[in-house]
Amino acid sequence: MTNSIRDIAEEARCIFIIGSNTTEQHPVIGAKIRRAKRHRGAKLIVADPRRIDIADYADLHLQHKPGTDIALLNGLMHVILREGWQDDEFIRERTEGFEELKPVVAKYTPEVVSEITGVPAEDIELAARMMAENRPGALLYAMGITQHTVGVPNVMSCANLQMLLGNMGVPGGGVNPLRGQNNVQGACDMGGLPNVYPGYQKVTDRAAREKFEQAWGVSLSDQVGLTVTEMLDAAERGDVRCLYIIGENPMTSDPDLNHVRYSLQNTEFIVLQELFFSETAQFADVIFPAASFAEKDGTVTNTERRIQRVRKAVDPPGEAMPDHWIIVQLAKRMLALGATTPDPDAPFADWEYQSWRDILEEINALTPIYAGVTAQRLDAGEALHWPVFGPDHPGAPILHVGKFTRGKGRFVASDHTSPAELPDEDYPLMLTTGRVLYHWHGGEMTHRAQGLEAMYPEALVEIHPKDARKAGVADGDLIKVASRRGEIVAKAQVTDRVEPGLIFGTFHFAESAANFLTNPALDPQAKIPEYKVCAVRVEKAGSSLDERAISE
Amino acid sequence: MINLTINGESITAPEGATILEVARMAGIEIPTLCHHPDLSNVGACRMCVVSVQGARALQTACTTPAADGMVVDTMSEDAVETRKFVLEMLLTDHPNECMTCEVNGDCELQDLVYDYGVKWPEHNGQRHQWEINPDPNPFIFIDRNKCILCSRCIRACNEIQNRDVWNFAYRGFQTKLVAGADQFMLDAGCESCGQCVAYCPVGALYDKMSIGLGRVNQITKVRTTCSYCGVGCNFDLNVRDGRIIRVTSAADAPVNGMALCVKGRYGYDYVHHPDRLTRPLVRAKWLGREAVEERIAAGEWAIFDEAKQRLTHRRPPNDAQTPIPNTQYPNTQYPNTQDLNTQLPPDTFIATDWDTALDVVANKFAETKKKFGGDAFALLASAKCTNEENFIFNKFTRQMLATHSIDHCARL
Ligand code: SF4
Ligand code: SF4
Ligand code: FES
């Protein structure tokens, strides 16, 4: 996020949510937004293909078709420019590329956009006016924007809109992606990516490479590594022989699970660190029992780039150990075997960490944006949002104040492009995926939390009454949903939360995970699969009475 | 800025603050029950009454704005007598159950009754006999007999969570805290965040999963960050005898304050689930049949029953009415069901020891690296691990295995 949760909740005069089921996926932020709307009078606009919970609180719900975000955003910008509502001073002083944006946006009249998105033209006019009249405004988005083949242009279009309105670098403004997992932000910050070292220092950058070579005492490649989807392809070909996975479950969370299964089966040696015997565990060769968040010490980074402590409260069960202990043990053994021989004089060649604090010190030394994130400051209760460039640097709850990190903010205009796979004669419905309030991702944790499981014990597929009638399906019936890649059986929930032609499924339940159906087509830059749109067909698989027979 | 006198002390305060806020800023305590600093003030309980010079009656400090030149006495005889009366009235319709109450030692009413030396009134008049735990919500326990009608839960739901589930129904002695139109909570739009429990000053609302598991003087609280989504809520894990028995809000949590969602507040029991993996597992083929047979015979290793793990994964949903049973912790016994002499498929998982399992992996990695180089490795980091763990995993990838093929499921 460019801004903090607090300034958005307390100072935004308009909140625009696009592609985020905020009250179910980031419930505490969702509650704060509901509060801003109801008790402070902030305007709330929600753009989502489904009538999600937060849409019921909105001043305006733009129910656009999945995969039409660019058209919608361009339409909003079209109206803003037509009416002269843009922030000319901000555009002149802080941005570049505005002239190139204009002709692209000019094509997207409300009528054209209405045709593409299904949103009434007058709602587009109204939304643009609301945004213009209520500044500063914050834009929030999540996977509904990124999980598309046009994920990157989607994000850039969000930034275009906010720059046009001058909503950047101010409290209550910003472009704010809500990160899913509790430490997704930290995993990226710490170099859990194939193209960058910790702190987004590029592996292709010579200075960065030399810095880490000197620190770790080895020579390092300047070639970008494989992304998760590329890894699975390489594993299938036999090029990748060893897969080492910590606490992830690609066998429920990746697209096109049948393909994932085939890749994992083809991998010679898989090492997994996990809390439970997950779906992925079935393919592992060695499984290390890991400690949960309540059983270890360290830090995590939230969606607003704030670093916070996790603290050990209980011992891990049996012989389970924290992940950091396991990695260190392996590294020491590898050193003993001579698998790598780092220069012993390099300052961080060795693996002699006594605790998480020693690791944090190495992070401070090698990661400029975390340079001042010290254990002492965290324990003293300081609020540290990276970048924190040194021990005296205060950090930055709001980014791009007065100046963009890269100098000038750049408008990059995009045109609407259809999703990779659209409904056709054989697969006439569109499937979009997501999560529900009571479950979490592959459900490894929440299926084992008894109250949560009691609240939402089985997979449901949302389908509009019209489509249900066509398929002869009643509420609670079992339906078979099939795509070109696979099929699942789940219980139908007949509801007008979805529009006719659209169905919605989750991947919380391994046996009916929507990811058997999803399309692995990737955004060419971000390499994020298109979870949010694929073509499917449905048929009745049995009435609710047969359910027992199937789930046995 | 204004100047006023409280208990003879002259105080400078910002305009617009209430007497209560000014007093607390100056370190002067005024007792309250219906007031909470996060919520709007309703002036319902009259616990906070104070004498103001020149005013005809006592004033409720939580709703009365401080004014320039005001002279306030927080401990006047009048005020103290009124508070005692308020407490006595509350006790005439309150069970005398502190001995067994979940919030004994953590109850605002109990503390005030103690401070003001009020006796529990013996009388044969009417006390309420509401049904205990009448609501099937799996997380929230209700005992209306303990409710003091302070409306904090109502305001928490309305102002913090914005669900408007709770309100008061009926009149006089019949006044009752109800969900929706006297419905079950879930039917009234509750999303089980438990904010109402967190703001209840007494034991009328409590966390169902924690009933009977420990009271405030029996637990230690450990402040930590939630393991679910990226909001980064902080809360206190309540630990007793090595088990997490409850999650409680931490008023000073920087991101979320008292607010939590259903997963953060009630989704912690997976930590102690019997399915947790407790020993390193290695497929028999990487150990050699002889070693496996020998060490199993010696009782050091065991066969891991994979099929059983998969079956226990999904359980039938609990009957929401019955309290959720404690799961036994931890299950370190691995069944040794298969007859070794008849078969030991090479894919059988063997529960081994750390040294063996780590050696298997280190040897395999070292050998693969030697033969095929860094390109033969791919690593998936975790969005559920700490920064420190992700950092050394990244170091392991690049320094030890000489590849940059590390990614995680952030894109997913
Ligand atoms: S749990 Fe949350 S939503 Fe439910 S009644 Fe309490 S405050 Fe309201
Ligand atoms: S349940 Fe608790 S918070 Fe709600 S009115 Fe009764 S005493 Fe107050
Ligand atoms: S605390 Fe002031 S009236 Fe209740």
Side-chain angles (χ1 to χ4, degrees), chain A residues 34 268 333 437 511 526, chain B residues 191 263 314 355 364 411:
Chain A
R34 293 198 294 227
E268 191 180 324
R333 280 175 160 79
L437 173 63
E511 62 277 20
Chain B
E191 45 194 12
K263 291 187 287 277
R314 302 289 315 286
D355 271 333
K364 178 72 186 168
R411 303 156 205 273

Side-chain angles (χ1 to χ4, degrees), chain B residues 140 157 161 163 165-166 185 189-196:
Chain B
I140 294 162
C157 191
Q161 192 64 11
R163 286 306 267 197
V165 170
W166 292 116
M185 295 176 71
C190 169
E191 45 194 12
S192 305
C193 63
Q195 251 67 282
C196 48

